[in-house]
Amino acid sequence: LSSDEKRKTVSLSEMSPYLPKAYIAIEDKRFYSHNGVDIKRTAGAILGTVTGNSSYGGSSITQQLVKNITKDKARSGIAGVVRKMKEWSKAVQVERMISKDQILELYLNIIFVGGNELHGVELGSQYYFNKSAKDLDLAECAFLAGINNSPNSYNPFGDKDNTNKIKTRTKTVLNKMKDLKYITDDECSSAIAEVEKGLNFKNGDVTAVT
């Protein structure tokens, strides 16, 4: 892992219980049932890799973990196909070595969350809400999971007004959590009302973290 990356490692028990569920809902809804590769999404991923259409999200959480560690970013042509095949093989190996919860915990501590090389949900929580990951409410967890595809393009502290973009993406995550029965209808409605009102962003100080 790059020495330039800032992170603060926490366990799953030190995160809001909504947080892992939010990431699974938006990133890999069959996480607990596949062997590292979601076969139902693999065909689309192969086609996207060959054609250079990187917008197709075919990677499981385990594959994303492998990609974050290896830093292999080849996306198109033969190099992209080879990278994907290696990624699938390594993901299956990882699933044989450690548990699903261990994979999820590693993933949530490694992912890029925005800012200046901030990684892991604990720093993400502190950066966006000035609180620990264990203290995030449902709507805040949905926001953090929702920005995973491109964190800085949703940054609430920049010059660009991303309010509508943030609301749309966060509500998408909440509805997916409801569809998977991770949250109740009432919980979803309450969180959506909070999102519509406007999340209480508060930029915490993460400059001293290494």
Side-chain angles (χ1 to χ4, degrees):
L1 298 177
S2 172
S3 60
D4 294 330
E5 297 176 0
K6 301 180 183 72
R7 73 182 74 250
K8 183 177 180 182
T9 302
V10 292
S11 65
L12 287 178
S13 64
E14 295 173 296
M15 303 176 194
S16 164
Y18 291 122
L19 195 56
K21 293 176 181 178
Y23 276 90
I24 290 172
I26 197 66
E27 293 292 335
D28 187 3
K29 66 181 182 180
R30 286 179 285 271
F31 172 67
Y32 281 106
S33 61
H34 62 60
N35 68 345
V37 179
D38 188 344
I39 300 301
K40 291 184 178 182
R41 299 172 69 185
T42 297
I46 293 173
L47 179 61
T49 300
V50 172
T51 61
N53 177 18
S54 60
S55 63
Y56 189 92
S59 294
S60 69
I61 281 176
T62 314
Q63 288 171 252
Q64 291 181 52
L65 174 64
V66 168
K67 185 161 55 179
N68 273 284
I69 293 173
T70 62
K71 306 296 185 185
D72 191 349
K73 299 183 183 298
R75 289 182 177 271
S76 60
I78 297 300
V81 173
V82 171
R83 194 268 297 172
K84 268 294 179 186
M85 292 178 68
K86 288 180 178 179
E87 184 182 288
W88 294 332
S89 175
K90 290 173 183 175
V92 172
Q93 291 178 53
V94 168
E95 294 256 354
R96 291 172 178 171
M97 294 168 63
I98 57 178
S99 70
K100 288 284 189 179
D101 283 350
Q102 287 174 310
I103 291 168
L104 188 58
E105 184 175 293
L106 283 169
Y107 172 76
L108 293 174
N109 279 297
I110 283 177
I111 52 173
F112 174 62
V113 294
N116 182 20
E117 286 300 325
L118 300 179
H119 291 255
V121 294
E122 179 64 16
L123 285 194
S125 178
Q126 293 179 13
Y127 177 67
Y128 294 109
F129 299 106
N130 195 29
K131 62 173 72 172
S132 173
K134 70 178 184 299
D135 298 320
L136 293 175
D137 67 20
L138 172 55
E140 292 164 346
C141 289
F143 162 79
L144 204 56
I147 69 172
N148 194 45
N149 60 330
S150 181
N152 282 332
S153 68
Y154 294 91
N155 197 314
F157 307 123
D159 296 331
K160 185 179 179 181
D161 184 4
N162 291 317
T163 302
N164 290 333
K165 189 175 182 181
I166 288 170
K167 287 182 177 181
T168 299
R169 183 62 173 169
T170 305
K171 288 188 288 185
T172 296
V173 177
L174 288 168
N175 283 314
K176 285 187 177 292
M177 293 178 76
K178 183 182 72 171
D179 291 343
L180 292 170
K181 301 189 184 307
Y182 287 159
I183 56 176
T184 65
D185 289 353
D186 288 344
E187 285 177 309
C188 184
S189 296
S190 178
I192 286 177
E194 180 184 343
V195 172
E196 288 292 357
K197 182 179 178 181
L199 293 174
N200 186 25
F201 293 110
K202 186 177 181 182
N203 196 191
D205 182 12
V206 293
T207 56
V209 179
T210 57

Coordinates of all heavy atoms in Angstrom, one line a residue, residues 128-179:
Y128 N -16.1 13.8 6.3 CA -17.3 14.3 5.8 C -18.3 14.8 7.0 O -19.1 15.7 6.8 CB -18.1 13.3 5.0 CG -17.4 13.0 3.7 CD1 -16.8 11.8 3.4 CD2 -17.3 14.0 2.7 CE1 -16.1 11.6 2.2 CE2 -16.7 13.8 1.5 CZ -16.1 12.5 1.3 OH -15.4 12.3 0.1
F129 N -18.1 14.1 8.1 CA -19.1 14.3 9.2 C -18.5 14.7 10.6 O -19.2 14.9 11.5 CB -20.0 13.1 9.4 CG -20.8 12.8 8.1 CD1 -20.5 11.7 7.3 CD2 -21.9 13.6 7.7 CE1 -21.2 11.4 6.2 CE2 -22.6 13.3 6.6 CZ -22.3 12.2 5.8
N130 N -17.2 14.7 10.6 CA -16.5 15.0 11.9 C -16.9 14.0 13.0 O -17.2 14.5 14.2 CB -16.7 16.4 12.3 CG -15.7 16.9 13.4 OD1 -14.6 16.4 13.4 ND2 -16.1 17.8 14.2
K131 N -17.1 12.8 12.7 CA -17.4 11.8 13.7 C -16.9 10.4 13.4 O -16.4 10.2 12.2 CB -19.0 11.7 13.9 CG -19.7 11.2 12.6 CD -21.2 11.0 12.8 CE -22.0 12.2 13.0 NZ -23.4 12.0 13.1
S132 N -16.9 9.5 14.3 CA -16.4 8.2 14.0 C -17.4 7.4 13.2 O -18.6 7.6 13.2 CB -16.1 7.5 15.4 OG -15.7 6.1 15.2
A133 N -16.9 6.4 12.5 CA -17.7 5.5 11.7 C -18.8 4.8 12.5 O -19.8 4.5 12.0 CB -16.9 4.5 11.0
K134 N -18.5 4.6 13.8 CA -19.5 3.9 14.6 C -20.7 4.8 15.0 O -21.7 4.3 15.4 CB -18.8 3.4 15.9 CG -18.4 4.5 16.9 CD -17.8 3.9 18.2 CE -17.5 4.9 19.2 NZ -16.5 5.9 18.8
D135 N -20.5 6.1 14.8 CA -21.6 7.0 15.1 C -22.4 7.5 13.9 O -23.3 8.3 14.1 CB -21.0 8.2 15.8 CG -20.3 7.9 17.1 OD1 -20.8 7.0 17.9 OD2 -19.2 8.4 17.4
L136 N -22.1 7.0 12.8 CA -22.9 7.4 11.6 C -24.3 6.9 11.6 O -24.6 5.8 12.0 CB -22.2 6.8 10.3 CG -20.8 7.4 9.9 CD1 -20.3 6.6 8.7 CD2 -20.9 8.9 9.6
D137 N -25.2 7.7 11.2 CA -26.6 7.3 11.1 C -26.8 6.6 9.7 O -25.9 6.6 8.9 CB -27.6 8.4 11.4 CG -27.6 9.5 10.4 OD1 -27.2 9.3 9.2 OD2 -28.1 10.6 10.7
L138 N -28.0 6.1 9.5 CA -28.3 5.4 8.3 C -28.1 6.2 7.0 O -27.4 5.8 6.1 CB -29.8 4.9 8.3 CG -30.3 4.3 7.0 CD1 -29.5 3.1 6.6 CD2 -31.8 3.8 7.3
A139 N -28.6 7.5 7.0 CA -28.4 8.3 5.8 C -27.0 8.6 5.5 O -26.5 8.6 4.4 CB -29.2 9.6 6.0
E140 N -26.2 8.8 6.6 CA -24.8 9.1 6.4 C -24.0 7.9 5.9 O -23.1 8.0 5.1 CB -24.2 9.6 7.8 CG -24.7 11.0 8.2 CD -24.5 11.3 9.7 OE1 -24.1 10.4 10.5 OE2 -24.7 12.5 10.1
C141 N -24.4 6.7 6.4 CA -23.8 5.5 5.9 C -24.1 5.3 4.4 O -23.2 4.9 3.6 CB -24.3 4.3 6.6 SG -23.7 4.2 8.3
A142 N -25.3 5.6 4.0 CA -25.7 5.5 2.6 C -24.9 6.5 1.7 O -24.6 6.2 0.6 CB -27.2 5.7 2.4
F143 N -24.7 7.7 2.2 CA -23.9 8.7 1.5 C -22.5 8.1 1.2 O -22.0 8.1 0.1 CB -23.8 10.0 2.2 CG -22.7 10.9 1.7 CD1 -22.8 11.6 0.6 CD2 -21.5 10.9 2.4 CE1 -21.8 12.4 0.1 CE2 -20.5 11.7 2.0 CZ -20.6 12.4 0.8
L144 N -21.9 7.6 2.3 CA -20.5 7.2 2.2 C -20.3 6.0 1.2 O -19.4 6.0 0.4 CB -20.0 6.8 3.6 CG -18.4 6.9 3.8 CD1 -17.9 8.2 3.5 CD2 -18.1 6.5 5.2
A145 N -21.3 5.1 1.3 CA -21.3 4.0 0.3 C -21.6 4.4 -1.1 O -21.0 3.9 -2.0 CB -22.3 2.9 0.8
G146 N -22.4 5.4 -1.2 CA -22.8 5.8 -2.5 C -21.8 6.5 -3.3 O -21.7 6.5 -4.6
I147 N -20.8 7.2 -2.6 CA -19.8 7.9 -3.4 C -18.6 7.0 -3.7 O -17.7 7.5 -4.4 CB -19.3 9.1 -2.5 CG1 -18.5 8.6 -1.3 CG2 -20.4 10.0 -2.1 CD1 -17.8 9.7 -0.5
N148 N -18.7 5.8 -3.4 CA -17.6 4.9 -3.6 C -17.1 4.8 -5.1 O -15.9 4.6 -5.3 CB -17.9 3.5 -3.2 CG -16.7 2.5 -3.0 OD1 -15.7 2.9 -2.4 ND2 -16.9 1.3 -3.5
N149 N -18.0 5.0 -6.0 CA -17.5 4.9 -7.4 C -16.7 6.1 -7.9 O -15.9 6.0 -8.8 CB -18.8 4.8 -8.3 CG -19.7 6.0 -8.2 OD1 -19.8 6.6 -7.2 ND2 -20.4 6.3 -9.3
S150 N -16.8 7.3 -7.2 CA -16.0 8.4 -7.6 C -16.1 9.5 -6.5 O -16.8 10.5 -6.6 CB -16.6 9.0 -8.9 OG -15.8 10.1 -9.3
P151 N -15.5 9.3 -5.4 CA -15.7 10.1 -4.1 C -15.6 11.6 -4.4 O -16.5 12.3 -3.9 CB -14.6 9.6 -3.2 CG -14.3 8.2 -3.6 CD -14.5 8.2 -5.1
N152 N -14.5 12.1 -5.0 CA -14.4 13.5 -5.1 C -15.4 14.2 -6.0 O -15.6 15.4 -5.9 CB -12.9 13.9 -5.5 CG -11.9 13.7 -4.4 OD1 -12.3 13.9 -3.2 ND2 -10.7 13.4 -4.7
S153 N -16.1 13.5 -6.8 CA -17.1 14.1 -7.7 C -18.4 14.3 -6.9 O -19.3 15.0 -7.4 CB -17.4 13.2 -8.9 OG -18.1 12.0 -8.5
Y154 N -18.5 13.8 -5.7 CA -19.6 14.1 -4.8 C -19.2 15.0 -3.6 O -20.0 15.2 -2.7 CB -20.2 12.8 -4.2 CG -20.8 11.9 -5.3 CD1 -20.0 10.9 -5.9 CD2 -22.1 12.0 -5.6 CE1 -20.6 10.0 -6.8 CE2 -22.7 11.1 -6.5 CZ -21.9 10.1 -7.1 OH -22.5 9.3 -8.1
N155 N -18.0 15.5 -3.6 CA -17.5 16.2 -2.5 C -18.4 17.4 -2.1 O -18.6 18.3 -2.9 CB -16.1 16.7 -2.7 CG -15.4 17.1 -1.5 OD1 -15.9 17.8 -0.6 ND2 -14.1 16.7 -1.3
P156 N -18.9 17.5 -0.9 CA -19.8 18.6 -0.5 C -19.0 19.9 -0.1 O -19.7 20.9 0.2 CB -20.5 18.0 0.7 CG -19.5 17.1 1.3 CD -18.8 16.5 0.2
F157 N -17.7 19.8 -0.1 CA -16.9 20.9 0.4 C -16.2 21.7 -0.7 O -15.5 22.7 -0.5 CB -15.8 20.5 1.4 CG -16.4 19.7 2.6 CD1 -15.9 18.4 2.8 CD2 -17.4 20.2 3.4 CE1 -16.5 17.6 3.9 CE2 -17.9 19.4 4.4 CZ -17.5 18.2 4.7
G158 N -16.4 21.3 -1.9 CA -15.7 21.9 -3.1 C -16.5 23.1 -3.6 O -17.5 23.5 -3.0
D159 N -15.9 23.7 -4.6 CA -16.5 24.9 -5.2 C -17.8 24.6 -6.0 O -18.7 25.4 -6.1 CB -15.5 25.6 -6.2 CG -14.3 26.1 -5.5 OD1 -14.4 26.4 -4.3 OD2 -13.2 26.1 -6.1
K160 N -17.9 23.4 -6.5 CA -19.1 23.0 -7.2 C -20.2 22.5 -6.3 O -20.0 21.8 -5.3 CB -18.8 21.8 -8.2 CG -19.9 21.4 -9.1 CD -19.4 20.3 -10.0 CE -20.5 19.8 -11.0 NZ -20.1 18.8 -11.9
D161 N -21.5 22.9 -6.6 CA -22.6 22.5 -5.8 C -23.1 21.1 -6.2 O -23.6 20.9 -7.3 CB -23.8 23.5 -6.0 CG -25.0 23.2 -5.1 OD1 -24.9 22.2 -4.3 OD2 -26.0 23.9 -5.2
N162 N -22.8 20.1 -5.4 CA -23.1 18.7 -5.7 C -24.4 18.2 -4.9 O -24.6 17.0 -4.8 CB -21.9 17.8 -5.3 CG -20.8 18.0 -6.2 OD1 -20.9 18.1 -7.4 ND2 -19.6 18.0 -5.7
T163 N -25.2 19.2 -4.4 CA -26.3 18.8 -3.5 C -27.3 17.9 -4.2 O -27.6 16.8 -3.6 CB -27.1 20.1 -3.1 OG1 -26.2 21.0 -2.5 CG2 -28.2 19.8 -2.2
N164 N -27.7 18.1 -5.4 CA -28.7 17.3 -6.0 C -28.1 15.9 -6.4 O -28.7 14.9 -6.3 CB -29.2 17.9 -7.3 CG -30.1 19.1 -7.0 OD1 -30.8 19.2 -6.0 ND2 -30.2 20.1 -7.9
K165 N -26.8 15.9 -6.8 CA -26.1 14.7 -7.1 C -26.0 13.8 -5.9 O -26.2 12.6 -5.9 CB -24.7 15.0 -7.7 CG -24.0 13.8 -8.3 CD -22.7 14.3 -8.9 CE -21.9 13.2 -9.5 NZ -20.6 13.7 -10.1
I166 N -25.7 14.4 -4.7 CA -25.6 13.7 -3.5 C -26.9 13.1 -3.0 O -27.0 11.9 -2.6 CB -25.0 14.6 -2.4 CG1 -23.5 14.9 -2.6 CG2 -25.2 14.0 -1.0 CD1 -23.0 16.0 -1.8
K167 N -27.9 13.9 -3.2 CA -29.3 13.4 -2.8 C -29.7 12.2 -3.6 O -30.2 11.2 -3.1 CB -30.3 14.6 -2.9 CG -30.2 15.6 -1.8 CD -31.3 16.7 -2.0 CE -31.2 17.7 -0.9 NZ -32.2 18.8 -1.0
T168 N -29.5 12.3 -4.9 CA -30.0 11.2 -5.8 C -29.2 9.9 -5.5 O -29.8 8.9 -5.4 CB -29.7 11.6 -7.3 OG1 -30.5 12.8 -7.6 CG2 -30.1 10.5 -8.2
R169 N -27.9 10.0 -5.4 CA -27.1 8.8 -5.1 C -27.4 8.2 -3.8 O -27.5 7.0 -3.6 CB -25.6 9.2 -5.3 CG -24.7 8.0 -5.1 CD -24.9 7.0 -6.2 NE -23.8 6.0 -6.2 CZ -23.9 4.8 -6.9 NH1 -24.9 4.6 -7.7 NH2 -22.9 4.0 -6.8
T170 N -27.5 9.1 -2.7 CA -27.8 8.5 -1.4 C -29.1 7.8 -1.3 O -29.2 6.8 -0.7 CB -27.7 9.7 -0.4 OG1 -26.4 10.4 -0.5 CG2 -27.8 9.1 1.1
K171 N -30.1 8.4 -2.0 CA -31.4 7.8 -2.0 C -31.4 6.5 -2.8 O -32.1 5.5 -2.4 CB -32.5 8.7 -2.6 CG -32.8 9.9 -1.6 CD -34.0 10.7 -2.1 CE -33.6 11.6 -3.3 NZ -34.7 12.5 -3.7
T172 N -30.6 6.4 -3.8 CA -30.4 5.1 -4.5 C -29.9 4.0 -3.6 O -30.4 2.9 -3.6 CB -29.5 5.3 -5.7 OG1 -30.0 6.2 -6.6 CG2 -29.2 4.0 -6.4
V173 N -28.9 4.3 -2.8 CA -28.4 3.4 -1.8 C -29.4 2.9 -0.8 O -29.6 1.8 -0.5 CB -27.1 3.9 -1.1 CG1 -26.6 2.9 -0.1 CG2 -26.0 4.2 -2.1
L174 N -30.2 3.9 -0.3 CA -31.2 3.6 0.7 C -32.3 2.7 0.1 O -32.7 1.7 0.8 CB -31.8 4.9 1.2 CG -30.9 5.8 2.1 CD1 -31.5 7.2 2.3 CD2 -30.7 5.1 3.5
N175 N -32.7 2.9 -1.1 CA -33.7 2.1 -1.7 C -33.2 0.7 -2.0 O -34.0 -0.3 -1.9 CB -34.2 2.7 -3.0 CG -35.2 3.9 -2.7 OD1 -36.1 3.7 -1.9 ND2 -35.0 5.0 -3.4
K176 N -31.9 0.6 -2.3 CA -31.4 -0.8 -2.5 C -31.3 -1.5 -1.2 O -31.5 -2.7 -1.1 CB -30.0 -0.7 -3.2 CG -30.0 -0.3 -4.7 CD -28.7 -0.4 -5.3 CE -28.7 -0.1 -6.8 NZ -29.4 -1.2 -7.5
M177 N -30.9 -0.8 -0.1 CA -30.9 -1.4 1.2 C -32.3 -1.9 1.6 O -32.5 -3.0 2.2 CB -30.4 -0.4 2.2 CG -28.9 -0.1 2.1 SD -28.4 1.1 3.3 CE -28.2 0.1 4.8
K178 N -33.3 -1.1 1.3 CA -34.7 -1.5 1.6 C -35.1 -2.7 0.8 O -35.7 -3.7 1.3 CB -35.7 -0.3 1.3 CG -37.1 -0.6 1.6 CD -38.0 0.5 1.3 CE -38.2 0.6 -0.2 NZ -39.3 1.6 -0.6
D179 N -34.8 -2.7 -0.5 CA -35.1 -3.9 -1.4 C -34.5 -5.2 -0.9 O -35.1 -6.2 -1.1 CB -34.6 -3.6 -2.8 CG -35.4 -2.5 -3.5 OD1 -36.5 -2.1 -3.0 OD2 -34.9 -1.9 -4.5

